[in-house]
Amino acid sequence: MSSYGPSQADVTSFKALKDAPDSSKYPHASRWYKHISSYESEFSTLPGDPSKAYTTYGPEKSEVTLNPKDAPATAEEDDDDVDLFGSDDEEDIEAAKVREENLAAYKKKKEGKTKPAAKSIVTLDVKPWDDETDMKQLEANLRSIEMDGLTWGGGKLVPVGFGIKKLQVNLVVEDEKVSIDDLQAKIEEDEDHVQSTDVVAMQKL
């Protein structure tokens, strides 16, 4: 350990080990241990001071620091403290500020746009009481109904049977403004002409 040949330094270190080093983990130490064990019968004749503890042997000065935080700062590390081009933190703060400003501008622009109203096209069946019901008057009364968000479309008479015809009419409604149930109730208030109403079809525009 302290010279090229075996010495008391090797003997002392050898005796300090309880077991042979694991060759898979410490191949060099295992090879040294086997080499020194071959001199076991000559331990007392090997050069050196056998009275020294094994801890006194080893390199005079170690360049390895056991605890990295205790290591002295190197010139390279000292250079890290010199900020030649500005701090990354400052750049991050500036970038975040720009991002927030852009986001605020986008939200303001988005809020300024009017969202188009959701609409539906509906087909209604309006059934009369009998074949003697005045269908022209029924349709006129129906179309006289006005509601914000309601637009009447085309209509036609569809035969039901026994000479009776129902009115099938199309209309467009703004979903948030017009309730189909309320509209049907208004149409059915014409009790002289209307027996009932049914929604045949409804589709979002």
Side-chain angles (χ1 to χ4, degrees):
M1 293 181 69
S2 60
S3 64
Y4 292 105
S7 66
Q8 291 301 324
D10 294 289
V11 173
T12 305
S13 299
F14 178 88
K15 291 180 178 179
L17 294 174
K18 294 181 179 179
D19 299 300
D22 187 340
S23 60
S24 61
K25 292 183 179 180
Y26 313 104
H28 297 297
S30 176
R31 191 160 51 247
W32 167 85
Y33 187 88
K34 288 179 181 179
H35 176 65
I36 298 305
S37 65
S38 66
Y39 288 92
E40 196 165 359
S41 61
E42 304 174 38
F43 277 178
S44 60
T45 63
L46 294 177
D49 185 355
S51 64
K52 289 184 179 180
Y54 75 93
T55 54
T56 60
Y57 296 105
E60 294 180 1
K61 183 179 179 181
S62 174
E63 298 297 332
V64 179
T65 304
L66 296 180
N67 193 339
K69 73 180 181 63
D70 296 330
T74 63
E76 229 176 78
E77 290 171 342
D78 289 341
D79 289 343
D80 290 343
D81 295 335
V82 181
D83 190 355
L84 299 177
F85 301 102
S87 170
D88 288 340
D89 292 339
E90 291 177 4
E91 292 179 6
D92 291 342
I93 293 171
E94 187 64 27
K97 185 179 179 181
V98 172
R99 187 166 56 250
E100 290 296 329
E101 289 175 354
N102 291 340
L103 183 60
Y106 170 75
K107 285 183 178 179
K108 188 175 181 180
K109 184 178 179 181
K110 190 175 180 182
E111 288 171 0
K113 290 184 177 180
T114 304
K115 187 178 179 182
K119 296 181 179 181
S120 298
I121 182 169
V122 183
T123 301
L124 279 180
D125 272 355
V126 184
K127 298 174 184 176
W129 288 104
D130 51 39
D131 59 340
E132 297 182 359
T133 301
D134 186 345
M135 297 303 293
K136 288 185 178 179
Q137 187 60 52
L138 181 152
E139 185 172 358
N141 293 345
L142 175 142
R143 292 183 181 279
S144 68
I145 297 173
E146 295 181 355
M147 298 174 70
D148 185 23
L150 167 65
T151 303
W152 292 107
K156 64 181 179 178
L157 294 176
V158 180
V160 177
F162 305 102
I164 301 174
K165 295 181 180 181
K166 64 182 179 181
L167 174 65
Q168 193 169 86
V169 62
N170 294 322
L171 54 131
V172 176
V173 296
E174 290 185 27
D175 297 339
E176 292 186 359
K177 294 181 178 180
V178 179
S179 165
I180 298 300
D181 290 338
D182 291 347
L183 177 59
Q184 287 181 268
K186 280 184 176 292
I187 296 171
E188 290 170 6
E189 286 177 3
D190 183 12
E191 295 178 353
D192 292 338
H193 300 89
V194 179
Q195 180 193 59
S196 63
T197 60
D198 291 308
V199 175
V200 178
M202 178 182 288
Q203 183 178 352
K204 297 289 183 183
L205 293 178

